[in-house]
Amino acid sequence: MNAYAKRLMWPVLILVALIIVNIAATGIDFIIPSVNDDGRLGGAFVNILRRSAPLLLIALGMTLVIATKGIDLSVGATYAIGAAIACQMIIDGTDQSAAGLIFSAVALALVVTAVIGAWNGTMVAYFGIQPIVATLILMIAGRGIAQLVTGGQIPKVDDSSPFLQLGRGEILTIPVPIWIAALVLTAIALLTRKTALGLLLESVGGNPEASRLAGIRSKGITVLVYLVCGLCAGLAGLIGAANVGSADANNGGLWIELDAILAVVIGGTALLGGRFYLLGTTIGVVIIGMLDDTIINVGLSSQWQFTAKAIVVFAVALLQSPEFRGWILKPFKPKPEAAAPAPAEEVPAK
């Protein structure tokens, strides 16, 4: 079994175990999709995928950042800023159903969040500020910026606005958020696995100095991954705002950065940088999204939510550790037989 399969084996086993537990608690309907009255694909598992789409977008961007030995704590605030800009611009317009207005609002939100991500990357790459410090600044200030955009209010988009289709619509019965997340995952996978970009990311994260001496423009790549991470956070904010029909600067995307980091770690990407696993991150997102339903289905209170996440991350981290697996399996390994002593050489008689 190669290293890639070993990294994905444990998250897959955890996911399968959660599915089995939910099927045992609620029946086979948990995994079987159905078509709702509105023509949209539904069912418990499909709803989990739909709700997890914003988290997957942010986790994909976070995976690229972590691959360069970085971290982005500002994605939750960036989520709120993107949602605030789009919703405020739409409600300030004369016709909330105007295609031009909605396109302009979405485009402006994505441009601003991409600039925020590029700013984080510039602080890290060109000014030498530690990633956790550079992004912590915007994590704190970002929600204040979102409140300034909305004037401290919660802008609510009219129910007839096509903007809401980003979170509530469907294409070929499949919810739009799932389509968006799948397209972004495919695009990032193609760019990082079918071009040299993935190797460049891993080289920058694995050994920044060696990659610089090899002629790789590590600073430009660092700015690029933070830009993509900000863009993904902004897109996630648009989906979240479209789903609820409003933008809450205080609570929108709150602590989603922690869930994104957990998903990346569960998926097998190390925080030390280097190798990254997009499929593993996707599995990690589904695991986190399924935990909330699992807690309710087995009869536990919602207060177990954070504890359950911690237990799952702890279990996956231990299972992925070769040292831990070796310690557990040590009593079952056959002991090597002691080699027979070599015969003593005879001393010839004088």
PDB file of all heavy atoms in Angstrom, residues 307-348:
ATOM      1  N   THR A 307     -17.013  18.216  21.608  1.00  0.00           N
ATOM      2  CA  THR A 307     -16.294  17.082  22.176  1.00  0.00           C
ATOM      3  C   THR A 307     -16.148  15.968  21.152  1.00  0.00           C
ATOM      4  O   THR A 307     -15.093  15.334  21.034  1.00  0.00           O
ATOM      5  CB  THR A 307     -17.037  16.555  23.418  1.00  0.00           C
ATOM      6  OG1 THR A 307     -17.191  17.612  24.359  1.00  0.00           O
ATOM      7  CG2 THR A 307     -16.255  15.415  24.060  1.00  0.00           C
ATOM      8  N   ALA A 308     -17.206  15.728  20.371  1.00  0.00           N
ATOM      9  CA  ALA A 308     -17.157  14.683  19.348  1.00  0.00           C
ATOM     10  C   ALA A 308     -16.121  15.004  18.287  1.00  0.00           C
ATOM     11  O   ALA A 308     -15.377  14.125  17.829  1.00  0.00           O
ATOM     12  CB  ALA A 308     -18.538  14.507  18.720  1.00  0.00           C
ATOM     13  N   LYS A 309     -16.046  16.260  17.879  1.00  0.00           N
ATOM     14  CA  LYS A 309     -15.036  16.656  16.891  1.00  0.00           C
ATOM     15  C   LYS A 309     -13.629  16.409  17.430  1.00  0.00           C
ATOM     16  O   LYS A 309     -12.757  15.903  16.719  1.00  0.00           O
ATOM     17  CB  LYS A 309     -15.206  18.129  16.519  1.00  0.00           C
ATOM     18  CG  LYS A 309     -16.436  18.433  15.697  1.00  0.00           C
ATOM     19  CD  LYS A 309     -16.535  19.916  15.387  1.00  0.00           C
ATOM     20  CE  LYS A 309     -17.799  20.226  14.592  1.00  0.00           C
ATOM     21  NZ  LYS A 309     -17.924  21.687  14.321  1.00  0.00           N
ATOM     22  N   ALA A 310     -13.428  16.767  18.694  1.00  0.00           N
ATOM     23  CA  ALA A 310     -12.111  16.571  19.288  1.00  0.00           C
ATOM     24  C   ALA A 310     -11.747  15.090  19.357  1.00  0.00           C
ATOM     25  O   ALA A 310     -10.604  14.705  19.079  1.00  0.00           O
ATOM     26  CB  ALA A 310     -12.076  17.186  20.690  1.00  0.00           C
ATOM     27  N   ILE A 311     -12.728  14.243  19.700  1.00  0.00           N
ATOM     28  CA  ILE A 311     -12.472  12.808  19.792  1.00  0.00           C
ATOM     29  C   ILE A 311     -12.109  12.232  18.427  1.00  0.00           C
ATOM     30  O   ILE A 311     -11.174  11.439  18.290  1.00  0.00           O
ATOM     31  CB  ILE A 311     -13.693  12.082  20.387  1.00  0.00           C
ATOM     32  CG1 ILE A 311     -13.876  12.473  21.859  1.00  0.00           C
ATOM     33  CG2 ILE A 311     -13.552  10.571  20.247  1.00  0.00           C
ATOM     34  CD1 ILE A 311     -15.144  11.937  22.472  1.00  0.00           C
ATOM     35  N   VAL A 312     -12.839  12.651  17.386  1.00  0.00           N
ATOM     36  CA  VAL A 312     -12.569  12.140  16.038  1.00  0.00           C
ATOM     37  C   VAL A 312     -11.186  12.570  15.560  1.00  0.00           C
ATOM     38  O   VAL A 312     -10.420  11.760  15.032  1.00  0.00           O
ATOM     39  CB  VAL A 312     -13.658  12.622  15.058  1.00  0.00           C
ATOM     40  CG1 VAL A 312     -13.248  12.329  13.621  1.00  0.00           C
ATOM     41  CG2 VAL A 312     -14.977  11.952  15.366  1.00  0.00           C
ATOM     42  N   VAL A 313     -10.856  13.844  15.755  1.00  0.00           N
ATOM     43  CA  VAL A 313      -9.535  14.320  15.339  1.00  0.00           C
ATOM     44  C   VAL A 313      -8.431  13.589  16.103  1.00  0.00           C
ATOM     45  O   VAL A 313      -7.413  13.184  15.533  1.00  0.00           O
ATOM     46  CB  VAL A 313      -9.422  15.841  15.554  1.00  0.00           C
ATOM     47  CG1 VAL A 313      -8.008  16.315  15.260  1.00  0.00           C
ATOM     48  CG2 VAL A 313     -10.396  16.569  14.654  1.00  0.00           C
ATOM     49  N   PHE A 314      -8.651  13.406  17.400  1.00  0.00           N
ATOM     50  CA  PHE A 314      -7.655  12.707  18.217  1.00  0.00           C
ATOM     51  C   PHE A 314      -7.478  11.274  17.736  1.00  0.00           C
ATOM     52  O   PHE A 314      -6.339  10.784  17.602  1.00  0.00           O
ATOM     53  CB  PHE A 314      -8.111  12.728  19.681  1.00  0.00           C
ATOM     54  CG  PHE A 314      -7.150  12.075  20.628  1.00  0.00           C
ATOM     55  CD1 PHE A 314      -5.897  12.627  20.862  1.00  0.00           C
ATOM     56  CD2 PHE A 314      -7.498  10.907  21.277  1.00  0.00           C
ATOM     57  CE1 PHE A 314      -5.010  12.016  21.741  1.00  0.00           C
ATOM     58  CE2 PHE A 314      -6.621  10.291  22.151  1.00  0.00           C
ATOM     59  CZ  PHE A 314      -5.366  10.854  22.383  1.00  0.00           C
ATOM     60  N   ALA A 315      -8.577  10.603  17.426  1.00  0.00           N
ATOM     61  CA  ALA A 315      -8.509   9.208  16.974  1.00  0.00           C
ATOM     62  C   ALA A 315      -7.800   9.102  15.624  1.00  0.00           C
ATOM     63  O   ALA A 315      -6.926   8.245  15.434  1.00  0.00           O
ATOM     64  CB  ALA A 315      -9.909   8.613  16.885  1.00  0.00           C
ATOM     65  N   VAL A 316      -8.159   9.980  14.680  1.00  0.00           N
ATOM     66  CA  VAL A 316      -7.529   9.926  13.360  1.00  0.00           C
ATOM     67  C   VAL A 316      -6.050  10.255  13.453  1.00  0.00           C
ATOM     68  O   VAL A 316      -5.206   9.622  12.799  1.00  0.00           O
ATOM     69  CB  VAL A 316      -8.246  10.883  12.387  1.00  0.00           C
ATOM     70  CG1 VAL A 316      -7.512  10.939  11.053  1.00  0.00           C
ATOM     71  CG2 VAL A 316      -9.682  10.435  12.165  1.00  0.00           C
ATOM     72  N   ALA A 317      -5.701  11.241  14.282  1.00  0.00           N
ATOM     73  CA  ALA A 317      -4.294  11.616  14.428  1.00  0.00           C
ATOM     74  C   ALA A 317      -3.471  10.455  14.982  1.00  0.00           C
ATOM     75  O   ALA A 317      -2.348  10.200  14.535  1.00  0.00           O
ATOM     76  CB  ALA A 317      -4.173  12.840  15.336  1.00  0.00           C
ATOM     77  N   LEU A 318      -4.042   9.729  15.958  1.00  0.00           N
ATOM     78  CA  LEU A 318      -3.328   8.583  16.517  1.00  0.00           C
ATOM     79  C   LEU A 318      -3.195   7.463  15.487  1.00  0.00           C
ATOM     80  O   LEU A 318      -2.136   6.845  15.354  1.00  0.00           O
ATOM     81  CB  LEU A 318      -4.048   8.076  17.758  1.00  0.00           C
ATOM     82  CG  LEU A 318      -3.938   8.932  19.023  1.00  0.00           C
ATOM     83  CD1 LEU A 318      -4.714   8.286  20.165  1.00  0.00           C
ATOM     84  CD2 LEU A 318      -2.491   9.149  19.432  1.00  0.00           C
ATOM     85  N   LEU A 319      -4.270   7.204  14.755  1.00  0.00           N
ATOM     86  CA  LEU A 319      -4.238   6.121  13.769  1.00  0.00           C
ATOM     87  C   LEU A 319      -3.267   6.425  12.631  1.00  0.00           C
ATOM     88  O   LEU A 319      -2.693   5.507  12.036  1.00  0.00           O
ATOM     89  CB  LEU A 319      -5.641   5.879  13.207  1.00  0.00           C
ATOM     90  CG  LEU A 319      -6.654   5.287  14.194  1.00  0.00           C
ATOM     91  CD1 LEU A 319      -8.039   5.253  13.576  1.00  0.00           C
ATOM     92  CD2 LEU A 319      -6.235   3.884  14.618  1.00  0.00           C
ATOM     93  N   GLN A 320      -3.076   7.707  12.320  1.00  0.00           N
ATOM     94  CA  GLN A 320      -2.152   8.079  11.258  1.00  0.00           C
ATOM     95  C   GLN A 320      -0.710   8.118  11.727  1.00  0.00           C
ATOM     96  O   GLN A 320       0.207   8.270  10.911  1.00  0.00           O
ATOM     97  CB  GLN A 320      -2.540   9.446  10.684  1.00  0.00           C
ATOM     98  CG  GLN A 320      -3.825   9.429   9.874  1.00  0.00           C
ATOM     99  CD  GLN A 320      -4.201  10.804   9.378  1.00  0.00           C
ATOM    100  OE1 GLN A 320      -3.707  11.817   9.863  1.00  0.00           O
ATOM    101  NE2 GLN A 320      -5.085  10.861   8.399  1.00  0.00           N
ATOM    102  N   SER A 321      -0.482   7.976  13.018  1.00  0.00           N
ATOM    103  CA  SER A 321       0.871   8.036  13.564  1.00  0.00           C
ATOM    104  C   SER A 321       1.538   6.654  13.493  1.00  0.00           C
ATOM    105  O   SER A 321       1.068   5.703  14.128  1.00  0.00           O
ATOM    106  CB  SER A 321       0.827   8.500  15.024  1.00  0.00           C
ATOM    107  OG  SER A 321       2.085   8.339  15.634  1.00  0.00           O
ATOM    108  N   PRO A 322       2.625   6.499  12.744  1.00  0.00           N
ATOM    109  CA  PRO A 322       3.325   5.206  12.694  1.00  0.00           C
ATOM    110  C   PRO A 322       3.836   4.771  14.056  1.00  0.00           C
ATOM    111  O   PRO A 322       3.853   3.574  14.371  1.00  0.00           O
ATOM    112  CB  PRO A 322       4.472   5.467  11.712  1.00  0.00           C
ATOM    113  CG  PRO A 322       4.059   6.663  10.918  1.00  0.00           C
ATOM    114  CD  PRO A 322       3.249   7.494  11.854  1.00  0.00           C
ATOM    115  N   GLU A 323       4.279   5.732  14.877  1.00  0.00           N
ATOM    116  CA  GLU A 323       4.796   5.397  16.206  1.00  0.00           C
ATOM    117  C   GLU A 323       3.696   4.799  17.084  1.00  0.00           C
ATOM    118  O   GLU A 323       3.919   3.810  17.788  1.00  0.00           O
ATOM    119  CB  GLU A 323       5.376   6.654  16.882  1.00  0.00           C
ATOM    120  CG  GLU A 323       6.661   7.163  16.263  1.00  0.00           C
ATOM    121  CD  GLU A 323       6.403   7.978  15.003  1.00  0.00           C
ATOM    122  OE1 GLU A 323       5.204   8.205  14.669  1.00  0.00           O
ATOM    123  OE2 GLU A 323       7.382   8.365  14.347  1.00  0.00           O
ATOM    124  N   PHE A 324       2.486   5.393  17.017  1.00  0.00           N
ATOM    125  CA  PHE A 324       1.380   4.876  17.831  1.00  0.00           C
ATOM    126  C   PHE A 324       0.966   3.484  17.363  1.00  0.00           C
ATOM    127  O   PHE A 324       0.749   2.587  18.182  1.00  0.00           O
ATOM    128  CB  PHE A 324       0.190   5.842  17.763  1.00  0.00           C
ATOM    129  CG  PHE A 324      -1.025   5.356  18.499  1.00  0.00           C
ATOM    130  CD1 PHE A 324      -1.104   5.462  19.876  1.00  0.00           C
ATOM    131  CD2 PHE A 324      -2.096   4.789  17.814  1.00  0.00           C
ATOM    132  CE1 PHE A 324      -2.221   5.003  20.553  1.00  0.00           C
ATOM    133  CE2 PHE A 324      -3.208   4.344  18.481  1.00  0.00           C
ATOM    134  CZ  PHE A 324      -3.277   4.448  19.864  1.00  0.00           C
ATOM    135  N   ARG A 325       0.851   3.307  16.030  1.00  0.00           N
ATOM    136  CA  ARG A 325       0.471   1.986  15.521  1.00  0.00           C
ATOM    137  C   ARG A 325       1.520   0.940  15.877  1.00  0.00           C
ATOM    138  O   ARG A 325       1.192  -0.205  16.218  1.00  0.00           O
ATOM    139  CB  ARG A 325       0.282   2.051  14.002  1.00  0.00           C
ATOM    140  CG  ARG A 325      -0.881   2.923  13.561  1.00  0.00           C
ATOM    141  CD  ARG A 325      -1.295   2.581  12.136  1.00  0.00           C
ATOM    142  NE  ARG A 325      -0.186   2.703  11.204  1.00  0.00           N
ATOM    143  CZ  ARG A 325       0.122   3.813  10.550  1.00  0.00           C
ATOM    144  NH1 ARG A 325      -0.596   4.916  10.741  1.00  0.00           N
ATOM    145  NH2 ARG A 325       1.138   3.843   9.705  1.00  0.00           N
ATOM    146  N   GLY A 326       2.785   1.338  15.820  1.00  0.00           N
ATOM    147  CA  GLY A 326       3.832   0.394  16.192  1.00  0.00           C
ATOM    148  C   GLY A 326       3.776   0.023  17.657  1.00  0.00           C
ATOM    149  O   GLY A 326       4.013  -1.140  18.024  1.00  0.00           O
ATOM    150  N   TRP A 327       3.428   1.005  18.518  1.00  0.00           N
ATOM    151  CA  TRP A 327       3.327   0.735  19.952  1.00  0.00           C
ATOM    152  C   TRP A 327       2.156  -0.201  20.246  1.00  0.00           C
ATOM    153  O   TRP A 327       2.236  -1.087  21.084  1.00  0.00           O
ATOM    154  CB  TRP A 327       3.158   2.055  20.701  1.00  0.00           C
ATOM    155  CG  TRP A 327       3.000   1.890  22.182  1.00  0.00           C
ATOM    156  CD1 TRP A 327       3.939   1.497  23.079  1.00  0.00           C
ATOM    157  CD2 TRP A 327       1.791   2.112  22.930  1.00  0.00           C
ATOM    158  NE1 TRP A 327       3.403   1.449  24.353  1.00  0.00           N
ATOM    159  CE2 TRP A 327       2.099   1.827  24.287  1.00  0.00           C
ATOM    160  CE3 TRP A 327       0.507   2.518  22.586  1.00  0.00           C
ATOM    161  CZ2 TRP A 327       1.151   1.952  25.291  1.00  0.00           C
ATOM    162  CZ3 TRP A 327      -0.445   2.634  23.594  1.00  0.00           C
ATOM    163  CH2 TRP A 327      -0.115   2.352  24.928  1.00  0.00           C
ATOM    164  N   ILE A 328       1.009   0.017  19.539  1.00  0.00           N
ATOM    165  CA  ILE A 328      -0.161  -0.828  19.756  1.00  0.00           C
ATOM    166  C   ILE A 328       0.101  -2.254  19.276  1.00  0.00           C
ATOM    167  O   ILE A 328      -0.296  -3.246  19.919  1.00  0.00           O
ATOM    168  CB  ILE A 328      -1.391  -0.243  19.029  1.00  0.00           C
ATOM    169  CG1 ILE A 328      -1.841   1.044  19.725  1.00  0.00           C
ATOM    170  CG2 ILE A 328      -2.531  -1.250  18.986  1.00  0.00           C
ATOM    171  CD1 ILE A 328      -2.358   0.836  21.124  1.00  0.00           C
ATOM    172  N   LEU A 329       0.748  -2.397  18.118  1.00  0.00           N
ATOM    173  CA  LEU A 329       0.956  -3.712  17.519  1.00  0.00           C
ATOM    174  C   LEU A 329       2.197  -4.419  18.045  1.00  0.00           C
ATOM    175  O   LEU A 329       2.435  -5.573  17.689  1.00  0.00           O
ATOM    176  CB  LEU A 329       1.061  -3.579  15.997  1.00  0.00           C
ATOM    177  CG  LEU A 329      -0.183  -3.013  15.291  1.00  0.00           C
ATOM    178  CD1 LEU A 329       0.093  -2.840  13.810  1.00  0.00           C
ATOM    179  CD2 LEU A 329      -1.381  -3.931  15.512  1.00  0.00           C
ATOM    180  N   LYS A 330       2.959  -3.766  18.882  1.00  0.00           N
ATOM    181  CA  LYS A 330       4.208  -4.356  19.355  1.00  0.00           C
ATOM    182  C   LYS A 330       4.016  -5.698  20.064  1.00  0.00           C
ATOM    183  O   LYS A 330       4.766  -6.657  19.814  1.00  0.00           O
ATOM    184  CB  LYS A 330       4.917  -3.368  20.285  1.00  0.00           C
ATOM    185  CG  LYS A 330       6.299  -3.826  20.722  1.00  0.00           C
ATOM    186  CD  LYS A 330       6.981  -2.759  21.575  1.00  0.00           C
ATOM    187  CE  LYS A 330       8.372  -3.216  22.008  1.00  0.00           C
ATOM    188  NZ  LYS A 330       9.050  -2.184  22.834  1.00  0.00           N
ATOM    189  N   PRO A 331       2.987  -5.861  20.940  1.00  0.00           N
ATOM    190  CA  PRO A 331       2.825  -7.163  21.608  1.00  0.00           C
ATOM    191  C   PRO A 331       2.480  -8.309  20.648  1.00  0.00           C
ATOM    192  O   PRO A 331       2.685  -9.481  20.984  1.00  0.00           O
ATOM    193  CB  PRO A 331       1.678  -6.914  22.596  1.00  0.00           C
ATOM    194  CG  PRO A 331       1.639  -5.439  22.793  1.00  0.00           C
ATOM    195  CD  PRO A 331       2.039  -4.867  21.476  1.00  0.00           C
ATOM    196  N   PHE A 332       1.946  -7.971  19.465  1.00  0.00           N
ATOM    197  CA  PHE A 332       1.507  -9.008  18.527  1.00  0.00           C
ATOM    198  C   PHE A 332       2.580  -9.352  17.492  1.00  0.00           C
ATOM    199  O   PHE A 332       2.399 -10.273  16.708  1.00  0.00           O
ATOM    200  CB  PHE A 332       0.233  -8.565  17.810  1.00  0.00           C
ATOM    201  CG  PHE A 332      -0.890  -8.209  18.743  1.00  0.00           C
ATOM    202  CD1 PHE A 332      -1.132  -6.882  19.074  1.00  0.00           C
ATOM    203  CD2 PHE A 332      -1.682  -9.190  19.314  1.00  0.00           C
ATOM    204  CE1 PHE A 332      -2.157  -6.540  19.939  1.00  0.00           C
ATOM    205  CE2 PHE A 332      -2.712  -8.857  20.180  1.00  0.00           C
ATOM    206  CZ  PHE A 332      -2.951  -7.534  20.499  1.00  0.00           C
ATOM    207  N   LYS A 333       3.658  -8.603  17.489  1.00  0.00           N
ATOM    208  CA  LYS A 333       4.712  -8.881  16.517  1.00  0.00           C
ATOM    209  C   LYS A 333       5.578 -10.028  17.012  1.00  0.00           C
ATOM    210  O   LYS A 333       5.931 -10.078  18.201  1.00  0.00           O
ATOM    211  CB  LYS A 333       5.571  -7.637  16.297  1.00  0.00           C
ATOM    212  CG  LYS A 333       4.846  -6.513  15.566  1.00  0.00           C
ATOM    213  CD  LYS A 333       5.776  -5.340  15.325  1.00  0.00           C
ATOM    214  CE  LYS A 333       5.071  -4.234  14.540  1.00  0.00           C
ATOM    215  NZ  LYS A 333       5.958  -3.068  14.314  1.00  0.00           N
ATOM    216  N   PRO A 334       5.914 -10.969  16.153  1.00  0.00           N
ATOM    217  CA  PRO A 334       6.778 -12.075  16.579  1.00  0.00           C
ATOM    218  C   PRO A 334       8.170 -11.567  16.930  1.00  0.00           C
ATOM    219  O   PRO A 334       8.732 -10.708  16.244  1.00  0.00           O
ATOM    220  CB  PRO A 334       6.803 -12.989  15.345  1.00  0.00           C
ATOM    221  CG  PRO A 334       6.490 -12.100  14.197  1.00  0.00           C
ATOM    222  CD  PRO A 334       5.558 -11.060  14.730  1.00  0.00           C
ATOM    223  N   LYS A 335       8.677 -12.105  18.031  1.00  0.00           N
ATOM    224  CA  LYS A 335      10.005 -11.697  18.454  1.00  0.00           C
ATOM    225  C   LYS A 335      11.054 -12.393  17.596  1.00  0.00           C
ATOM    226  O   LYS A 335      10.925 -13.580  17.290  1.00  0.00           O
ATOM    227  CB  LYS A 335      10.223 -12.051  19.921  1.00  0.00           C
ATOM    228  CG  LYS A 335       9.285 -11.299  20.863  1.00  0.00           C
ATOM    229  CD  LYS A 335       9.579 -11.667  22.310  1.00  0.00           C
ATOM    230  CE  LYS A 335       8.660 -10.887  23.257  1.00  0.00           C
ATOM    231  NZ  LYS A 335       8.915 -11.224  24.685  1.00  0.00           N
ATOM    232  N   PRO A 336      12.073 -11.666  17.186  1.00  0.00           N
ATOM    233  CA  PRO A 336      13.112 -12.294  16.361  1.00  0.00           C
ATOM    234  C   PRO A 336      13.862 -13.352  17.155  1.00  0.00           C
ATOM    235  O   PRO A 336      14.150 -13.188  18.347  1.00  0.00           O
ATOM    236  CB  PRO A 336      14.026 -11.115  15.994  1.00  0.00           C
ATOM    237  CG  PRO A 336      13.772 -10.078  17.047  1.00  0.00           C
ATOM    238  CD  PRO A 336      12.340 -10.233  17.444  1.00  0.00           C
ATOM    239  N   GLU A 337      14.105 -14.480  16.500  1.00  0.00           N
ATOM    240  CA  GLU A 337      14.827 -15.559  17.176  1.00  0.00           C
ATOM    241  C   GLU A 337      16.273 -15.160  17.393  1.00  0.00           C
ATOM    242  O   GLU A 337      16.902 -14.542  16.532  1.00  0.00           O
ATOM    243  CB  GLU A 337      14.767 -16.826  16.323  1.00  0.00           C
ATOM    244  CG  GLU A 337      13.340 -17.355  16.138  1.00  0.00           C
ATOM    245  CD  GLU A 337      13.346 -18.630  15.314  1.00  0.00           C
ATOM    246  OE1 GLU A 337      14.442 -19.043  14.896  1.00  0.00           O
ATOM    247  OE2 GLU A 337      12.257 -19.189  15.092  1.00  0.00           O
ATOM    248  N   ALA A 338      16.755 -15.545  18.581  1.00  0.00           N
ATOM    249  CA  ALA A 338      18.147 -15.223  18.902  1.00  0.00           C
ATOM    250  C   ALA A 338      19.083 -16.058  18.037  1.00  0.00           C
ATOM    251  O   ALA A 338      18.895 -17.265  17.858  1.00  0.00           O
ATOM    252  CB  ALA A 338      18.418 -15.490  20.379  1.00  0.00           C
ATOM    253  N   ALA A 339      20.060 -15.415  17.486  1.00  0.00           N
ATOM    254  CA  ALA A 339      21.016 -16.113  16.624  1.00  0.00           C
ATOM    255  C   ALA A 339      21.906 -17.025  17.460  1.00  0.00           C
ATOM    256  O   ALA A 339      22.299 -16.689  18.585  1.00  0.00           O
ATOM    257  CB  ALA A 339      21.867 -15.108  15.863  1.00  0.00           C
ATOM    258  N   ALA A 340      22.193 -18.211  16.941  1.00  0.00           N
ATOM    259  CA  ALA A 340      23.051 -19.161  17.655  1.00  0.00           C
ATOM    260  C   ALA A 340      24.465 -18.601  17.727  1.00  0.00           C
ATOM    261  O   ALA A 340      24.951 -17.983  16.770  1.00  0.00           O
ATOM    262  CB  ALA A 340      23.059 -20.491  16.925  1.00  0.00           C
ATOM    263  N   PRO A 341      25.144 -18.805  18.871  1.00  0.00           N
ATOM    264  CA  PRO A 341      26.512 -18.275  18.999  1.00  0.00           C
ATOM    265  C   PRO A 341      27.453 -18.949  18.012  1.00  0.00           C
ATOM    266  O   PRO A 341      27.356 -20.140  17.735  1.00  0.00           O
ATOM    267  CB  PRO A 341      26.884 -18.592  20.459  1.00  0.00           C
ATOM    268  CG  PRO A 341      25.970 -19.724  20.837  1.00  0.00           C
ATOM    269  CD  PRO A 341      24.709 -19.521  20.086  1.00  0.00           C
ATOM    270  N   ALA A 342      28.344 -18.170  17.487  1.00  0.00           N
ATOM    271  CA  ALA A 342      29.308 -18.703  16.519  1.00  0.00           C
ATOM    272  C   ALA A 342      30.276 -19.635  17.237  1.00  0.00           C
ATOM    273  O   ALA A 342      30.687 -19.381  18.377  1.00  0.00           O
ATOM    274  CB  ALA A 342      30.060 -17.562  15.857  1.00  0.00           C
ATOM    275  N   PRO A 343      30.618 -20.754  16.600  1.00  0.00           N
ATOM    276  CA  PRO A 343      31.562 -21.697  17.246  1.00  0.00           C
ATOM    277  C   PRO A 343      32.925 -21.057  17.448  1.00  0.00           C
ATOM    278  O   PRO A 343      33.391 -20.291  16.597  1.00  0.00           O
ATOM    279  CB  PRO A 343      31.614 -22.864  16.261  1.00  0.00           C
ATOM    280  CG  PRO A 343      31.209 -22.271  14.954  1.00  0.00           C
ATOM    281  CD  PRO A 343      30.224 -21.207  15.256  1.00  0.00           C
ATOM    282  N   ALA A 344      33.531 -21.389  18.583  1.00  0.00           N
ATOM    283  CA  ALA A 344      34.851 -20.842  18.884  1.00  0.00           C
ATOM    284  C   ALA A 344      35.903 -21.470  17.972  1.00  0.00           C
ATOM    285  O   ALA A 344      35.837 -22.660  17.627  1.00  0.00           O
ATOM    286  CB  ALA A 344      35.204 -21.102  20.344  1.00  0.00           C
ATOM    287  N   GLU A 345      36.814 -20.652  17.531  1.00  0.00           N
ATOM    288  CA  GLU A 345      37.879 -21.159  16.666  1.00  0.00           C
ATOM    289  C   GLU A 345      38.880 -21.981  17.469  1.00  0.00           C
ATOM    290  O   GLU A 345      39.246 -21.612  18.599  1.00  0.00           O
ATOM    291  CB  GLU A 345      38.605 -19.982  15.994  1.00  0.00           C
ATOM    292  CG  GLU A 345      37.685 -19.171  15.062  1.00  0.00           C
ATOM    293  CD  GLU A 345      38.448 -18.055  14.369  1.00  0.00           C
ATOM    294  OE1 GLU A 345      39.665 -17.923  14.664  1.00  0.00           O
ATOM    295  OE2 GLU A 345      37.848 -17.333  13.571  1.00  0.00           O
ATOM    296  N   GLU A 346      39.269 -23.110  16.885  1.00  0.00           N
ATOM    297  CA  GLU A 346      40.245 -23.956  17.565  1.00  0.00           C
ATOM    298  C   GLU A 346      41.657 -23.380  17.403  1.00  0.00           C
ATOM    299  O   GLU A 346      42.042 -22.930  16.320  1.00  0.00           O
ATOM    300  CB  GLU A 346      40.207 -25.362  16.986  1.00  0.00           C
ATOM    301  CG  GLU A 346      38.875 -26.061  17.232  1.00  0.00           C
ATOM    302  CD  GLU A 346      38.914 -27.471  16.702  1.00  0.00           C
ATOM    303  OE1 GLU A 346      39.982 -27.867  16.166  1.00  0.00           O
ATOM    304  OE2 GLU A 346      37.891 -28.180  16.825  1.00  0.00           O
ATOM    305  N   VAL A 347      42.391 -23.415  18.525  1.00  0.00           N
ATOM    306  CA  VAL A 347      43.780 -22.909  18.501  1.00  0.00           C
ATOM    307  C   VAL A 347      44.705 -24.083  18.160  1.00  0.00           C
ATOM    308  O   VAL A 347      44.679 -25.119  18.842  1.00  0.00           O
ATOM    309  CB  VAL A 347      44.171 -22.326  19.870  1.00  0.00           C
ATOM    310  CG1 VAL A 347      45.601 -21.808  19.834  1.00  0.00           C
ATOM    311  CG2 VAL A 347      43.199 -21.208  20.243  1.00  0.00           C
ATOM    312  N   PRO A 348      45.408 -23.978  17.074  1.00  0.00           N
ATOM    313  CA  PRO A 348      46.301 -25.107  16.700  1.00  0.00           C
ATOM    314  C   PRO A 348      47.364 -25.372  17.783  1.00  0.00           C
ATOM    315  O   PRO A 348      47.898 -24.427  18.385  1.00  0.00           O
ATOM    316  CB  PRO A 348      46.929 -24.626  15.390  1.00  0.00           C
ATOM    317  CG  PRO A 348      46.825 -23.141  15.414  1.00  0.00           C
ATOM    318  CD  PRO A 348      45.573 -22.814  16.148  1.00  0.00           C
TER     319      PRO A 348
END
